[in-house]
Amino acid sequence: MSLLERLLLTHIRAVKLDVPVAEYRFHEKRRWRFDFAYPDLLVAIEVEGGTWTNGRHTRGKGFEGDCEKYNTAALRGWTVLRFTGDMIKRGEAIKMIEEALRC
């Protein structure tokens, strides 16, 4: 688990939300996993690392693969919340997660 994922889990615990399932596999054939998921609510959380450092998620092949994964998840009814490291550090991610889970 990355430092950003651990920080996000710390925020989730601090606001007393249920702890999500880590590395949740949502597709029966593909090896796709969500960083975190609330399967009963069909809410997934993705931590997008390397945003400013040319990480996998921001390069062509990785970005395209993410699009396929997120679109497939959406077609299956999932809400996918995506957060950069800065969004997690500023507390924006936890506010959006709270909103999604309390709706």
CSV table of all heavy atoms in Angstrom, one decimal, residues 2-62:
chain,number,residue,atom,x,y,z
A,2,SER,N,0.6,2.2,-0.8
A,2,SER,CA,1.4,3.4,-0.9
A,2,SER,C,1.1,4.3,0.3
A,2,SER,O,0.2,4.2,1.0
A,2,SER,CB,1.0,4.2,-2.2
A,2,SER,OG,-0.3,4.8,-2.1
A,3,LEU,N,2.0,5.3,0.4
A,3,LEU,CA,1.9,6.3,1.5
A,3,LEU,C,0.6,7.1,1.3
A,3,LEU,O,-0.1,7.3,2.3
A,3,LEU,CB,3.1,7.2,1.5
A,3,LEU,CG,4.4,6.7,1.9
A,3,LEU,CD1,5.5,7.7,1.7
A,3,LEU,CD2,4.3,6.2,3.4
A,4,LEU,N,0.2,7.4,0.1
A,4,LEU,CA,-1.0,8.2,-0.1
A,4,LEU,C,-2.2,7.3,0.2
A,4,LEU,O,-3.2,7.8,0.8
A,4,LEU,CB,-1.1,8.6,-1.6
A,4,LEU,CG,-0.2,9.7,-2.0
A,4,LEU,CD1,-0.3,10.0,-3.5
A,4,LEU,CD2,-0.5,11.0,-1.2
A,5,GLU,N,-2.2,6.0,-0.1
A,5,GLU,CA,-3.3,5.2,0.3
A,5,GLU,C,-3.4,5.0,1.8
A,5,GLU,O,-4.5,5.1,2.4
A,5,GLU,CB,-3.1,3.8,-0.4
A,5,GLU,CG,-3.3,3.8,-1.9
A,5,GLU,CD,-2.9,2.6,-2.6
A,5,GLU,OE1,-2.2,1.7,-2.0
A,5,GLU,OE2,-3.3,2.4,-3.7
A,6,ARG,N,-2.3,4.9,2.5
A,6,ARG,CA,-2.3,4.9,3.9
A,6,ARG,C,-2.8,6.1,4.5
A,6,ARG,O,-3.6,6.1,5.5
A,6,ARG,CB,-0.9,4.5,4.5
A,6,ARG,CG,-0.6,3.0,4.3
A,6,ARG,CD,0.7,2.7,5.0
A,6,ARG,NE,1.8,3.2,4.2
A,6,ARG,CZ,2.9,2.5,4.0
A,6,ARG,NH1,3.1,1.3,4.5
A,6,ARG,NH2,3.8,3.0,3.2
A,7,LEU,N,-2.4,7.3,4.0
A,7,LEU,CA,-2.9,8.6,4.5
A,7,LEU,C,-4.5,8.7,4.3
A,7,LEU,O,-5.2,9.1,5.2
A,7,LEU,CB,-2.3,9.7,3.7
A,7,LEU,CG,-2.7,11.1,4.1
A,7,LEU,CD1,-2.5,11.4,5.6
A,7,LEU,CD2,-2.0,12.2,3.2
A,8,LEU,N,-4.9,8.2,3.1
A,8,LEU,CA,-6.4,8.3,2.9
A,8,LEU,C,-7.1,7.4,3.9
A,8,LEU,O,-8.2,7.7,4.4
A,8,LEU,CB,-6.7,7.9,1.5
A,8,LEU,CG,-8.2,8.0,1.1
A,8,LEU,CD1,-8.7,9.4,1.3
A,8,LEU,CD2,-8.4,7.5,-0.3
A,9,LEU,N,-6.6,6.2,4.2
A,9,LEU,CA,-7.2,5.3,5.2
A,9,LEU,C,-7.2,6.0,6.6
A,9,LEU,O,-8.2,5.8,7.3
A,9,LEU,CB,-6.4,4.0,5.3
A,9,LEU,CG,-6.9,2.9,4.3
A,9,LEU,CD1,-6.1,1.6,4.5
A,9,LEU,CD2,-8.4,2.6,4.5
A,10,THR,N,-6.2,6.7,6.9
A,10,THR,CA,-6.1,7.4,8.2
A,10,THR,C,-7.2,8.4,8.2
A,10,THR,O,-7.9,8.6,9.2
A,10,THR,CB,-4.7,8.1,8.3
A,10,THR,OG1,-3.7,7.1,8.4
A,10,THR,CG2,-4.7,8.9,9.6
A,11,HIS,N,-7.5,9.2,7.1
A,11,HIS,CA,-8.6,10.1,7.1
A,11,HIS,C,-9.9,9.4,7.2
A,11,HIS,O,-10.8,9.9,7.9
A,11,HIS,CB,-8.5,10.9,5.7
A,11,HIS,CG,-7.4,11.8,5.6
A,11,HIS,ND1,-7.2,12.6,4.5
A,11,HIS,CD2,-6.3,12.1,6.4
A,11,HIS,CE1,-6.1,13.4,4.7
A,11,HIS,NE2,-5.5,13.0,5.8
A,12,ILE,N,-10.1,8.3,6.5
A,12,ILE,CA,-11.3,7.6,6.6
A,12,ILE,C,-11.6,7.1,8.1
A,12,ILE,O,-12.7,7.3,8.5
A,12,ILE,CB,-11.3,6.3,5.7
A,12,ILE,CG1,-11.4,6.8,4.2
A,12,ILE,CG2,-12.4,5.3,6.0
A,12,ILE,CD1,-11.1,5.8,3.2
A,13,ARG,N,-10.6,6.6,8.7
A,13,ARG,CA,-10.8,6.2,10.1
A,13,ARG,C,-11.1,7.4,11.0
A,13,ARG,O,-11.9,7.3,12.0
A,13,ARG,CB,-9.6,5.5,10.6
A,13,ARG,CG,-9.4,4.1,10.0
A,13,ARG,CD,-8.2,3.3,10.6
A,13,ARG,NE,-8.2,2.0,10.0
A,13,ARG,CZ,-7.2,1.6,9.2
A,13,ARG,NH1,-6.3,2.4,8.8
A,13,ARG,NH2,-7.3,0.3,8.7
A,14,ALA,N,-10.4,8.6,10.8
A,14,ALA,CA,-10.6,9.8,11.6
A,14,ALA,C,-12.0,10.3,11.6
A,14,ALA,O,-12.4,10.8,12.6
A,14,ALA,CB,-9.6,10.8,11.1
A,15,VAL,N,-12.7,10.1,10.5
A,15,VAL,CA,-14.1,10.6,10.4
A,15,VAL,C,-15.1,9.5,10.7
A,15,VAL,O,-16.3,9.7,10.5
A,15,VAL,CB,-14.4,11.3,9.0
A,15,VAL,CG1,-13.5,12.5,8.8
A,15,VAL,CG2,-14.3,10.4,7.9
A,16,LYS,N,-14.5,8.4,11.1
A,16,LYS,CA,-15.3,7.2,11.6
A,16,LYS,C,-16.2,6.6,10.5
A,16,LYS,O,-17.3,6.2,10.8
A,16,LYS,CB,-16.1,7.6,12.8
A,16,LYS,CG,-15.3,8.0,14.0
A,16,LYS,CD,-16.1,8.2,15.2
A,16,LYS,CE,-15.3,8.7,16.4
A,16,LYS,NZ,-13.9,8.7,16.5
A,17,LEU,N,-15.7,6.6,9.3
A,17,LEU,CA,-16.4,5.8,8.2
A,17,LEU,C,-16.0,4.4,8.3
A,17,LEU,O,-14.9,4.0,8.8
A,17,LEU,CB,-16.0,6.4,6.8
A,17,LEU,CG,-16.5,7.8,6.5
A,17,LEU,CD1,-15.9,8.2,5.2
A,17,LEU,CD2,-18.0,7.9,6.5
A,18,ASP,N,-16.8,3.5,7.8
A,18,ASP,CA,-16.4,2.1,7.6
A,18,ASP,C,-15.1,2.0,6.8
A,18,ASP,O,-15.0,2.8,5.8
A,18,ASP,CB,-17.5,1.3,7.0
A,18,ASP,CG,-18.7,1.1,7.9
A,18,ASP,OD1,-18.6,1.2,9.1
A,18,ASP,OD2,-19.8,0.8,7.3
A,19,VAL,N,-14.3,1.1,7.2
A,19,VAL,CA,-13.0,0.9,6.4
A,19,VAL,C,-13.4,0.2,5.1
A,19,VAL,O,-14.0,-0.9,5.2
A,19,VAL,CB,-12.0,0.2,7.2
A,19,VAL,CG1,-10.7,-0.1,6.4
A,19,VAL,CG2,-11.6,1.0,8.5
A,20,PRO,N,-12.9,0.7,4.0
A,20,PRO,CA,-13.3,0.0,2.7
A,20,PRO,C,-12.4,-1.2,2.5
A,20,PRO,O,-11.4,-1.4,3.1
A,20,PRO,CB,-12.9,1.1,1.7
A,20,PRO,CG,-11.8,1.9,2.3
A,20,PRO,CD,-12.2,1.9,3.8
A,21,VAL,N,-12.8,-2.0,1.5
A,21,VAL,CA,-12.0,-3.2,1.1
A,21,VAL,C,-10.9,-2.7,0.3
A,21,VAL,O,-11.1,-1.9,-0.7
A,21,VAL,CB,-12.9,-4.2,0.3
A,21,VAL,CG1,-12.1,-5.4,-0.1
A,21,VAL,CG2,-14.1,-4.6,1.1
A,22,ALA,N,-9.7,-3.1,0.6
A,22,ALA,CA,-8.5,-2.7,-0.2
A,22,ALA,C,-8.3,-3.7,-1.3
A,22,ALA,O,-8.6,-4.9,-1.2
A,22,ALA,CB,-7.2,-2.7,0.7
A,23,GLU,N,-7.8,-3.2,-2.5
A,23,GLU,CA,-7.5,-4.0,-3.6
A,23,GLU,C,-8.6,-4.9,-4.1
A,23,GLU,O,-8.5,-6.1,-4.3
A,23,GLU,CB,-6.2,-4.8,-3.4
A,23,GLU,CG,-5.0,-4.0,-3.2
A,23,GLU,CD,-4.6,-3.2,-4.4
A,23,GLU,OE1,-4.7,-3.7,-5.6
A,23,GLU,OE2,-4.2,-2.0,-4.3
A,24,TYR,N,-9.8,-4.3,-4.2
A,24,TYR,CA,-11.0,-5.0,-4.5
A,24,TYR,C,-11.1,-5.3,-6.0
A,24,TYR,O,-11.1,-4.4,-6.8
A,24,TYR,CB,-12.2,-4.2,-4.1
A,24,TYR,CG,-13.5,-4.9,-4.3
A,24,TYR,CD1,-14.0,-5.9,-3.5
A,24,TYR,CD2,-14.3,-4.7,-5.5
A,24,TYR,CE1,-15.1,-6.6,-3.7
A,24,TYR,CE2,-15.5,-5.4,-5.7
A,24,TYR,CZ,-15.9,-6.3,-4.8
A,24,TYR,OH,-17.0,-7.0,-5.1
A,25,ARG,N,-11.2,-6.6,-6.3
A,25,ARG,CA,-11.3,-7.0,-7.7
A,25,ARG,C,-12.8,-7.0,-8.1
A,25,ARG,O,-13.6,-7.8,-7.6
A,25,ARG,CB,-10.7,-8.4,-7.9
A,25,ARG,CG,-10.7,-8.9,-9.3
A,25,ARG,CD,-9.9,-10.2,-9.4
A,25,ARG,NE,-9.9,-10.6,-10.8
A,25,ARG,CZ,-9.3,-11.7,-11.2
A,25,ARG,NH1,-8.7,-12.5,-10.4
A,25,ARG,NH2,-9.4,-12.0,-12.5
A,26,PHE,N,-13.1,-6.2,-9.1
A,26,PHE,CA,-14.5,-6.0,-9.5
A,26,PHE,C,-14.9,-6.7,-10.8
A,26,PHE,O,-16.1,-6.7,-11.1
A,26,PHE,CB,-14.8,-4.5,-9.5
A,26,PHE,CG,-14.3,-3.8,-10.8
A,26,PHE,CD1,-15.1,-3.6,-11.9
A,26,PHE,CD2,-13.0,-3.3,-10.8
A,26,PHE,CE1,-14.7,-3.0,-13.0
A,26,PHE,CE2,-12.6,-2.7,-12.0
A,26,PHE,CZ,-13.4,-2.5,-13.1
A,27,HIS,N,-14.0,-7.2,-11.4
A,27,HIS,CA,-14.3,-7.9,-12.7
A,27,HIS,C,-13.8,-9.3,-12.7
A,27,HIS,O,-12.7,-9.6,-12.2
A,27,HIS,CB,-13.5,-7.1,-13.8
A,27,HIS,CG,-14.0,-7.4,-15.2
A,27,HIS,ND1,-13.6,-8.6,-15.9
A,27,HIS,CD2,-14.8,-6.8,-16.0
A,27,HIS,CE1,-14.2,-8.6,-17.1
A,27,HIS,NE2,-14.9,-7.5,-17.2
A,28,GLU,N,-14.7,-10.2,-13.2
A,28,GLU,CA,-14.4,-11.6,-13.0
A,28,GLU,C,-13.4,-12.2,-14.0
A,28,GLU,O,-12.8,-13.2,-13.7
A,28,GLU,CB,-15.7,-12.4,-13.2
A,28,GLU,CG,-16.4,-12.3,-14.5
A,28,GLU,CD,-17.2,-11.0,-14.7
A,28,GLU,OE1,-17.4,-10.3,-13.7
A,28,GLU,OE2,-17.5,-10.7,-15.9
A,29,LYS,N,-13.1,-11.5,-15.1
A,29,LYS,CA,-12.1,-11.9,-16.1
A,29,LYS,C,-10.9,-11.1,-16.1
A,29,LYS,O,-9.8,-11.7,-16.2
A,29,LYS,CB,-12.8,-12.0,-17.5
A,29,LYS,CG,-13.9,-13.0,-17.6
A,29,LYS,CD,-14.4,-13.0,-19.0
A,29,LYS,CE,-15.6,-14.0,-19.1
A,29,LYS,NZ,-16.3,-13.9,-20.4
A,30,ARG,N,-11.0,-9.8,-16.0
A,30,ARG,CA,-9.9,-8.9,-16.0
A,30,ARG,C,-9.2,-8.9,-14.6
A,30,ARG,O,-9.9,-9.1,-13.6
A,30,ARG,CB,-10.3,-7.5,-16.4
A,30,ARG,CG,-10.9,-7.4,-17.8
A,30,ARG,CD,-9.9,-7.8,-18.9
A,30,ARG,NE,-8.8,-6.9,-19.0
A,30,ARG,CZ,-8.7,-5.8,-19.8
A,30,ARG,NH1,-9.7,-5.5,-20.6
A,30,ARG,NH2,-7.6,-5.0,-19.7
A,31,ARG,N,-8.0,-8.5,-14.5
A,31,ARG,CA,-7.3,-8.4,-13.2
A,31,ARG,C,-7.5,-7.0,-12.6
A,31,ARG,O,-6.8,-6.7,-11.6
A,31,ARG,CB,-5.9,-8.7,-13.3
A,31,ARG,CG,-5.6,-10.2,-13.7
A,31,ARG,CD,-4.2,-10.5,-13.7
A,31,ARG,NE,-4.0,-11.9,-13.7
A,31,ARG,CZ,-2.8,-12.5,-13.6
A,31,ARG,NH1,-1.7,-11.8,-13.5
A,31,ARG,NH2,-2.7,-13.8,-13.6
A,32,TRP,N,-8.4,-6.3,-13.0
A,32,TRP,CA,-8.7,-4.9,-12.5
A,32,TRP,C,-9.0,-5.0,-11.0
A,32,TRP,O,-9.8,-5.8,-10.6
A,32,TRP,CB,-9.8,-4.2,-13.3
A,32,TRP,CG,-9.5,-3.8,-14.7
A,32,TRP,CD1,-8.3,-3.4,-15.1
A,32,TRP,CD2,-10.4,-3.8,-15.8
A,32,TRP,NE1,-8.4,-3.1,-16.5
A,32,TRP,CE2,-9.7,-3.3,-16.9
A,32,TRP,CE3,-11.7,-4.2,-15.9
A,32,TRP,CZ2,-10.3,-3.2,-18.1
A,32,TRP,CZ3,-12.3,-4.0,-17.1
A,32,TRP,CH2,-11.6,-3.6,-18.2
A,33,ARG,N,-8.4,-4.0,-10.3
A,33,ARG,CA,-8.8,-3.9,-8.9
A,33,ARG,C,-8.9,-2.4,-8.6
A,33,ARG,O,-8.3,-1.6,-9.3
A,33,ARG,CB,-7.6,-4.4,-8.0
A,33,ARG,CG,-7.4,-5.9,-8.2
A,33,ARG,CD,-6.2,-6.3,-7.3
A,33,ARG,NE,-5.8,-7.7,-7.6
A,33,ARG,CZ,-6.4,-8.8,-7.0
A,33,ARG,NH1,-7.3,-8.6,-6.1
A,33,ARG,NH2,-6.0,-10.0,-7.3
A,34,PHE,N,-9.8,-2.1,-7.7
A,34,PHE,CA,-9.9,-0.7,-7.2
A,34,PHE,C,-9.0,-0.6,-6.0
A,34,PHE,O,-8.8,-1.6,-5.2
A,34,PHE,CB,-11.3,-0.4,-6.7
A,34,PHE,CG,-12.3,-0.4,-7.8
A,34,PHE,CD1,-13.5,-1.1,-7.7
A,34,PHE,CD2,-12.2,0.3,-8.9
A,34,PHE,CE1,-14.5,-1.1,-8.7
A,34,PHE,CE2,-13.1,0.4,-9.9
A,34,PHE,CZ,-14.3,-0.4,-9.8
A,35,ASP,N,-8.4,0.5,-5.8
A,35,ASP,CA,-7.5,0.7,-4.6
A,35,ASP,C,-8.3,0.4,-3.3
A,35,ASP,O,-7.9,-0.3,-2.4
A,35,ASP,CB,-6.9,2.1,-4.5
A,35,ASP,CG,-6.0,2.4,-5.7
A,35,ASP,OD1,-5.3,1.4,-6.1
A,35,ASP,OD2,-5.9,3.5,-6.1
A,36,PHE,N,-9.5,1.0,-3.3
A,36,PHE,CA,-10.5,0.8,-2.2
A,36,PHE,C,-11.9,0.7,-2.7
A,36,PHE,O,-12.2,1.3,-3.7
A,36,PHE,CB,-10.4,1.9,-1.2
A,36,PHE,CG,-9.1,2.1,-0.5
A,36,PHE,CD1,-8.3,3.2,-0.9
A,36,PHE,CD2,-8.6,1.2,0.4
A,36,PHE,CE1,-7.1,3.4,-0.3
A,36,PHE,CE2,-7.3,1.4,1.0
A,36,PHE,CZ,-6.6,2.5,0.6
A,37,ALA,N,-12.7,-0.1,-2.0
A,37,ALA,CA,-14.1,-0.2,-2.5
A,37,ALA,C,-15.1,-0.5,-1.4
A,37,ALA,O,-14.7,-1.1,-0.4
A,37,ALA,CB,-14.2,-1.3,-3.5
A,38,TYR,N,-16.3,0.0,-1.6
A,38,TYR,CA,-17.4,-0.3,-0.7
A,38,TYR,C,-18.3,-1.1,-1.6
A,38,TYR,O,-19.2,-0.5,-2.3
A,38,TYR,CB,-18.1,1.0,-0.2
A,38,TYR,CG,-17.2,1.8,0.8
A,38,TYR,CD1,-16.4,2.8,0.3
A,38,TYR,CD2,-17.3,1.5,2.1
A,38,TYR,CE1,-15.6,3.5,1.3
A,38,TYR,CE2,-16.5,2.2,3.1
A,38,TYR,CZ,-15.7,3.2,2.6
A,38,TYR,OH,-14.9,3.9,3.5
A,39,PRO,N,-18.1,-2.4,-1.8
A,39,PRO,CA,-18.8,-3.2,-2.7
A,39,PRO,C,-20.4,-3.2,-2.6
A,39,PRO,O,-21.1,-3.1,-3.6
A,39,PRO,CB,-18.3,-4.6,-2.5
A,39,PRO,CG,-17.0,-4.5,-1.8
A,39,PRO,CD,-17.1,-3.2,-1.0
A,40,ASP,N,-20.9,-3.1,-1.4
A,40,ASP,CA,-22.3,-3.1,-1.2
A,40,ASP,C,-22.9,-1.8,-1.7
A,40,ASP,O,-24.1,-1.8,-2.1
A,40,ASP,CB,-22.7,-3.2,0.3
A,40,ASP,CG,-22.3,-4.6,0.8
A,40,ASP,OD1,-22.1,-5.5,0.0
A,40,ASP,OD2,-22.2,-4.7,2.1
A,41,LEU,N,-22.2,-0.8,-1.8
A,41,LEU,CA,-22.7,0.5,-2.3
A,41,LEU,C,-22.2,0.8,-3.7
A,41,LEU,O,-22.6,1.8,-4.3
A,41,LEU,CB,-22.1,1.7,-1.4
A,41,LEU,CG,-22.5,1.6,0.1
A,41,LEU,CD1,-21.8,2.6,0.9
A,41,LEU,CD2,-24.0,1.7,0.3
A,42,LEU,N,-21.4,-0.1,-4.3
A,42,LEU,CA,-20.8,0.1,-5.6
A,42,LEU,C,-20.1,1.5,-5.7
A,42,LEU,O,-20.2,2.2,-6.7
A,42,LEU,CB,-21.9,0.0,-6.7
A,42,LEU,CG,-22.5,-1.3,-6.9
A,42,LEU,CD1,-23.6,-1.3,-8.0
A,42,LEU,CD2,-21.5,-2.4,-7.2
A,43,VAL,N,-19.3,1.8,-4.6
A,43,VAL,CA,-18.5,3.0,-4.6
A,43,VAL,C,-17.0,2.5,-4.6
A,43,VAL,O,-16.6,1.8,-3.7
A,43,VAL,CB,-18.8,3.9,-3.4
A,43,VAL,CG1,-17.8,5.0,-3.3
A,43,VAL,CG2,-20.2,4.4,-3.5
A,44,ALA,N,-16.2,3.0,-5.5
A,44,ALA,CA,-14.8,2.7,-5.6
A,44,ALA,C,-14.0,3.9,-5.4
A,44,ALA,O,-14.4,5.0,-5.8
A,44,ALA,CB,-14.5,2.1,-6.9
A,45,ILE,N,-12.8,3.8,-4.9
A,45,ILE,CA,-11.9,4.9,-4.7
A,45,ILE,C,-10.5,4.5,-5.3
A,45,ILE,O,-10.0,3.5,-5.0
A,45,ILE,CB,-11.7,5.2,-3.1
A,45,ILE,CG1,-13.0,5.5,-2.5
A,45,ILE,CG2,-10.7,6.3,-2.9
A,45,ILE,CD1,-13.0,5.4,-1.0
A,46,GLU,N,-10.1,5.4,-6.1
A,46,GLU,CA,-8.8,5.3,-6.8
A,46,GLU,C,-7.8,6.4,-6.4
A,46,GLU,O,-8.2,7.6,-6.5
A,46,GLU,CB,-8.9,5.2,-8.3
A,46,GLU,CG,-9.6,4.0,-8.8
A,46,GLU,CD,-8.7,2.8,-8.9
A,46,GLU,OE1,-8.0,2.6,-9.9
A,46,GLU,OE2,-8.7,2.1,-7.9
A,47,VAL,N,-6.6,6.0,-6.0
A,47,VAL,CA,-5.6,7.0,-5.6
A,47,VAL,C,-4.7,7.1,-6.8
A,47,VAL,O,-4.1,6.1,-7.2
A,47,VAL,CB,-4.8,6.6,-4.4
A,47,VAL,CG1,-3.7,7.5,-4.1
A,47,VAL,CG2,-5.8,6.5,-3.2
A,48,GLU,N,-4.7,8.3,-7.5
A,48,GLU,CA,-3.9,8.5,-8.7
A,48,GLU,C,-2.6,9.1,-8.4
A,48,GLU,O,-2.4,10.3,-8.3
A,48,GLU,CB,-4.7,9.4,-9.7
A,48,GLU,CG,-6.1,8.9,-10.0
A,48,GLU,CD,-6.1,7.7,-10.8
A,48,GLU,OE1,-5.1,7.1,-11.3
A,48,GLU,OE2,-7.3,7.2,-11.1
A,49,GLY,N,-1.6,8.2,-8.1
A,49,GLY,CA,-0.3,8.7,-7.8
A,49,GLY,C,0.5,9.1,-9.1
A,49,GLY,O,0.1,8.8,-10.2
A,50,GLY,N,1.6,9.8,-8.9
A,50,GLY,CA,2.4,10.2,-10.0
A,50,GLY,C,1.9,11.2,-10.9
A,50,GLY,O,2.3,11.4,-12.1
A,51,THR,N,0.9,12.0,-10.4
A,51,THR,CA,0.2,13.0,-11.3
A,51,THR,C,1.2,14.0,-11.9
A,51,THR,O,1.1,14.3,-13.1
A,51,THR,CB,-0.8,13.7,-10.5
A,51,THR,OG1,-1.7,12.8,-9.8
A,51,THR,CG2,-1.7,14.6,-11.3
A,52,TRP,N,2.2,14.5,-11.1
A,52,TRP,CA,3.1,15.5,-11.6
A,52,TRP,C,4.4,14.9,-11.9
A,52,TRP,O,5.4,15.7,-12.3
A,52,TRP,CB,3.2,16.6,-10.5
A,52,TRP,CG,1.9,17.2,-10.1
A,52,TRP,CD1,1.2,17.0,-9.0
A,52,TRP,CD2,1.2,18.1,-10.9
A,52,TRP,NE1,0.1,17.7,-9.0
A,52,TRP,CE2,0.0,18.4,-10.2
A,52,TRP,CE3,1.4,18.8,-12.1
A,52,TRP,CZ2,-0.9,19.4,-10.6
A,52,TRP,CZ3,0.5,19.7,-12.6
A,52,TRP,CH2,-0.7,19.9,-11.8
A,53,THR,N,4.6,13.6,-11.9
A,53,THR,CA,5.9,13.1,-12.1
A,53,THR,C,5.9,12.1,-13.3
A,53,THR,O,6.8,11.2,-13.4
A,53,THR,CB,6.5,12.3,-10.9
A,53,THR,OG1,5.5,11.3,-10.5
A,53,THR,CG2,6.6,13.3,-9.7
A,54,ASN,N,5.0,12.2,-14.2
A,54,ASN,CA,4.9,11.4,-15.4
A,54,ASN,C,4.7,9.9,-14.9
A,54,ASN,O,5.3,9.0,-15.5
A,54,ASN,CB,6.1,11.6,-16.3
A,54,ASN,CG,5.8,11.1,-17.7
A,54,ASN,OD1,4.7,11.0,-18.1
A,54,ASN,ND2,6.9,10.7,-18.4
A,55,GLY,N,3.8,9.7,-14.0
A,55,GLY,CA,3.6,8.3,-13.5
A,55,GLY,C,2.7,7.5,-14.5
A,55,GLY,O,2.3,8.1,-15.5
A,56,ARG,N,2.5,6.3,-14.2
A,56,ARG,CA,1.8,5.4,-15.1
A,56,ARG,C,0.4,5.9,-15.5
A,56,ARG,O,0.0,5.8,-16.6
A,56,ARG,CB,1.6,4.0,-14.4
A,56,ARG,CG,1.1,3.0,-15.4
A,56,ARG,CD,0.5,1.7,-14.7
A,56,ARG,NE,-0.8,1.9,-14.1
A,56,ARG,CZ,-1.9,2.0,-14.8
A,56,ARG,NH1,-1.9,1.8,-16.1
A,56,ARG,NH2,-3.1,2.1,-14.2
A,57,HIS,N,-0.3,6.5,-14.6
A,57,HIS,CA,-1.6,7.0,-14.8
A,57,HIS,C,-1.7,8.2,-15.8
A,57,HIS,O,-2.7,8.5,-16.3
A,57,HIS,CB,-2.4,7.4,-13.5
A,57,HIS,CG,-2.5,6.2,-12.6
A,57,HIS,ND1,-3.4,5.2,-12.8
A,57,HIS,CD2,-1.9,5.9,-11.5
A,57,HIS,CE1,-3.3,4.3,-11.8
A,57,HIS,NE2,-2.4,4.7,-11.0
A,58,THR,N,-0.6,8.9,-16.0
A,58,THR,CA,-0.6,10.0,-16.9
A,58,THR,C,0.1,9.8,-18.2
A,58,THR,O,0.1,10.7,-19.0
A,58,THR,CB,0.1,11.2,-16.1
A,58,THR,OG1,1.4,10.9,-15.8
A,58,THR,CG2,-0.7,11.6,-14.9
A,59,ARG,N,0.7,8.6,-18.4
A,59,ARG,CA,1.3,8.3,-19.7
A,59,ARG,C,0.2,7.6,-20.6
A,59,ARG,O,-0.7,7.0,-20.1
A,59,ARG,CB,2.5,7.5,-19.5
A,59,ARG,CG,3.6,8.2,-18.8
A,59,ARG,CD,5.0,7.5,-18.9
A,59,ARG,NE,4.9,6.1,-18.5
A,59,ARG,CZ,5.3,5.7,-17.3
A,59,ARG,NH1,5.7,6.5,-16.4
A,59,ARG,NH2,5.2,4.4,-17.0
A,60,GLY,N,0.4,7.7,-21.9
A,60,GLY,CA,-0.5,7.2,-22.9
A,60,GLY,C,-1.1,5.8,-22.6
A,60,GLY,O,-2.4,5.7,-22.4
A,61,LYS,N,-0.3,4.8,-22.5
A,61,LYS,CA,-0.9,3.4,-22.4
A,61,LYS,C,-1.6,3.3,-21.0
A,61,LYS,O,-2.7,2.7,-20.9
A,61,LYS,CB,0.2,2.4,-22.5
A,61,LYS,CG,-0.2,1.0,-22.5
A,61,LYS,CD,0.9,0.0,-22.7
A,61,LYS,CE,0.4,-1.4,-22.6
A,61,LYS,NZ,1.4,-2.4,-22.8
A,62,GLY,N,-1.0,3.8,-20.0
A,62,GLY,CA,-1.6,3.7,-18.6
A,62,GLY,C,-2.9,4.5,-18.5
A,62,GLY,O,-3.9,4.0,-18.0
